[in-house]
Amino acid sequence: MNSVRYPLAALVCWLAFARTLTPIVCHRRREPAVIALCASFGCQGMYLAMSTPAHWTGKLFGQVTWYNVSVQMWIIAVIACQQVLLIHWLYAPEEARARTRRRLLMIACVPVTMAVLFHLAKTHGHPHNSFAHPREQPYFVAYEVVYLTAFALGKVVVARACWFYAARTEDVWVRRGLRTAALGAGFDLVYSLGRFADVFLVHRGWDPSLWASATRTSLTVGMVLNTIGWTAPLWGQQLHSLRGWCADYRSYRRLRPLWYALHRAHPETSLHPGPRSDLFAVWDLRFRLHRRVIEIRDGCLALRGHHAPGPAPAPGPGSTERDRARWEAERIATALAAEPGRTAADGNPGPVAAMSPGDLDFSADVRWLVQVSRAFAALPAAEGRVPVG
């Protein structure tokens, strides 16, 4: 499973690394937070890529080598980069630089201590992840305690800082990303607890299989949530724009029944000489949506000379917006069925498509006209008028 999961996760991290590196290199953006974010993705990509080849990293509870130690040091580097990033988000530049120096000096003690302890552990033979009692490998046990303590404390600091800053940012995707990253750090803590149990509980007769599955699952979930959370500001705006585009295209399509009926009655109100498939709206959609709304209004204005006598009474004050939309659709259908030039006996003007009642906002107007168009398409007289496009 790791042979598939880790390479895919590493690819995602390298793509995020390239995405954050681009503004640094091309636009010469030297913001410390952006550099720290870029370095975090790069270090995590290294950790995941180096964790893939099982014949180098060894099997579970197998022999531990310097290669395994370097993989764990990349994890410490990821935590360091994330903390530097959060420091520069939380504090003013001068204070952030001072805090960054102190934090990096403190974190640098961890890999140095790990290297010294592992070197001492090798003097007693090749360290193994499994042992009958911690006294068999005291230096390696100390190495594991240093690594797992640094890992757990780092994740706690990252989770608290992410949650703290998420409540204070106005950017919705930064807020969502930070909360997701905080949740991922919480899952990573389960991994550290499982590894502590491997060191201190197995020799007491506890079966490691009781928590092995939970440990691996939590590490996987934490890795996914961390990747999603830290990359959310990169792809969140694009996703938001895509959702907006889909909503606009859906509205554009739903306006077609009403627009097409008005176009057939008064083609001079349309910008183009004839109706086209809605697939053409994929390009320059926002402009085309505006044009369709304007052409619907112009078409309804042109129906002032098509007024048929005997219009249905207008809905009362307590009517729903759906009822008003249906009444508006029926007025337009009645006017379209009337002969041009015919006016009502009472001299009332013909129908004009009402904008969103009491609101001239374009989005509200689109929502209102969509309701009118859907009600118009549902009328029995409208069946078969609108081509599939």
Side-chain angles (χ1 to χ4, degrees), residues 324-344:
R324 293 194 296 272
R326 186 185 302 112
W327 177 77
E328 185 71 33
E330 290 173 352
R331 290 185 66 211
I332 294 173
T334 302
L336 286 170
E339 296 179 2
R342 181 177 179 181
T343 58

Side-chain angles (χ1 to χ4, degrees), residues 84-95:
V84 170
L85 167 64
L86 292 169
I87 287 173
H88 281 278
W89 275 352
L90 291 170
Y91 300 99
E94 289 297 328
E95 185 178 0

